Amino acid sequence: MRRSETPCWQRLKRLEEEGIITDYQASLDRRKLGFGVMAFVQLTCNQHDVDTTQTFEHMIQQCDNVLSCHNTTGEADFLQQVVAKDLDDYRRFVDQVLRKLPGFSAIASNMSLRELKASTRLSL
């Protein structure tokens, strides 16, 4: 005998099928996992060709330190949210990853002193 689906389950399935729900995830405490540094990094490009862009996009997808990356308006071309274990780990990330990227003329970092709000929730 097949159980009938609840209205809540039906709504969830519909939202998934429509692409409104794209993923399920657990919220993790970065500090308890050893990531004590949060930085916001502005990157400015001096080359906008296809190869440079593809190399950058591939690096971003592969880099666990980068939580999010946005192509932005304004002075910088990209804004990244980056985590690191400590300042030495962040320096290594800048030296070994960001400074090795071709086509970038400036890297500006802003360290988070205190997180006032962090959410990915959207109201329905």
Side-chain angles (χ1 to χ4, degrees):
M1 173 169 41
R2 184 173 178 231
R3 293 176 41 191
S4 63
E5 295 177 341
T6 66
C8 182
W9 179 257
Q10 291 172 349
R11 183 173 186 224
L12 277 175
K13 286 311 210 185
R14 182 178 50 80
L15 292 172
E16 289 172 352
E17 289 167 2
E18 292 175 2
I20 294 169
I21 294 177
T22 59
D23 193 19
Y24 293 94
Q25 61 189 359
S27 296
L28 304 175
D29 186 322
R30 68 177 170 83
R31 287 178 194 86
K32 289 183 180 178
L33 293 171
F35 296 100
V37 170
M38 169 83 69
F40 297 92
V41 184
Q42 297 174 8
L43 299 169
T44 304
C45 299
N46 60 6
Q47 294 177 331
H48 293 87
D49 60 275
V50 173
D51 289 339
T52 301
T53 302
Q54 286 179 344
T55 299
F56 174 72
E57 289 178 2
H58 179 73
M59 184 281 302
I60 292 304
Q61 297 301 325
Q62 302 304 314
C63 189
D64 292 336
N65 290 79
V66 179
L67 298 182
S68 67
C69 182
H70 301 267
N71 188 202
T72 59
T73 62
E75 290 183 34
D77 295 293
F78 295 95
L79 177 63
Q80 295 181 339
Q81 183 179 12
V82 175
V83 293
K85 294 178 187 212
D86 53 31
L87 289 176
D88 287 335
D89 185 41
Y90 180 71
R91 180 191 48 78
R92 278 189 293 277
F93 168 74
V94 171
D95 289 344
Q96 295 174 8
V97 177
L98 296 182
R99 287 195 175 138
K100 290 188 177 182
L101 288 170
F104 285 87
S105 59
I107 301 167
S109 299
N110 294 292
M111 299 297 174
S112 173
L113 299 176
R114 183 169 60 114
E115 190 170 77
L116 301 177
K117 180 179 180 178
S119 178
T120 58
R121 296 180 185 155
L122 299 172
S123 298
L124 294 178

